[in-house]
Amino acid sequence: MTGRLAAVFAHPDDDTFAVSGTVAMHADDPGFRFTLIHATSGEAGEIAEGSPATRDTLAAVREEEDRRSWRTLGCEPDRHEWLRYPDGGLEGADFEELVGRVASILREERPDVVVTFGPEGITGHPDHITIGRAATDAFHQLREEGLGGFSRLLYVAIPLSELLRWNEMLIADGKEPYRQDRLYDPHGVPDETIGFVVDRTAVAARVLAALREHRTQASGFEDRPEDQQLAAVSTERGVVAWPPWSPGDPVLSDVLASLPVDP
């Protein structure tokens, strides 16, 4: 048995960036089950030039883009739930209700591993931060119920050294570098806090193809050469939020590795 994975994110495409490599690499494994929860449908997001979406249709278009991204990857979620909170308004939603709705789904699925956003929310986006807090609260509530599963809580994250490398490329191109204090710019975490690093080179072409299905959104590296785009999607990284992890502890190369067996 490989394990059950749940991803809890704010917007369509958060999930493709975050866990598509892990899902692609485990989709054919016996016992693998993938649950995906989106808090919003992304209707406040951008509409790329040439997209047929309008502000009125963007929610439906982005939901379909997300479904198409998983079909393109070749491994659709076993269960996909859209909570459809207002995009950009998650911070103002009833937090206990949000936790309860996430917990209700996770209670039924009993995932071994839950992946979500950490306190910096990758970009500081309030929706990212709020759904990460809600998923964290739901995880610990259910873990304490002793239902089985809930062995590992992970936060997707960007190491600061990677941000420095991106900024060097931006500066070389004559563009403004990212700033940690600017909302929606990538936010990094100290390198020594990274607790999982998944090499998804073997499926990077599939991940990139899946990301390209989010046609209303700009990934930020479309103008880069193909090899640089593939390199940009070749790794999944983040923080081990549970069980307690400290710098110097082993770094996971597979988020589903070494899971305890349910009684």
Side-chain angles (χ1 to χ4, degrees), residues 159-180:
L160 283 170
S161 61
E162 184 73 359
L163 281 185
L164 292 174
R165 190 175 69 83
W166 292 351
N167 277 344
E168 288 173 357
M169 290 192 294
L170 288 171
I171 292 169
D173 289 345
K175 298 178 181 177
E176 185 180 3
Y178 296 126
R179 283 176 29 194
Q180 292 281 349

Side-chain angles (χ1 to χ4, degrees), residues 106-119:
L106 296 183
R107 182 179 288 108
E108 293 174 359
E109 293 295 329
R110 291 172 49 203
D112 300 290
V113 178
V114 174
V115 184
T116 188
F117 288 114

Side-chain angles (χ1 to χ4, degrees), residues 26-46:
H26 284 288
D28 296 329
D29 293 352
F32 178 72
R33 181 172 174 82
F34 175 43
T35 299
L36 177 58
I37 302 173
H38 278 105
T40 84
S41 301
E43 69 273 11
E46 68 176 298

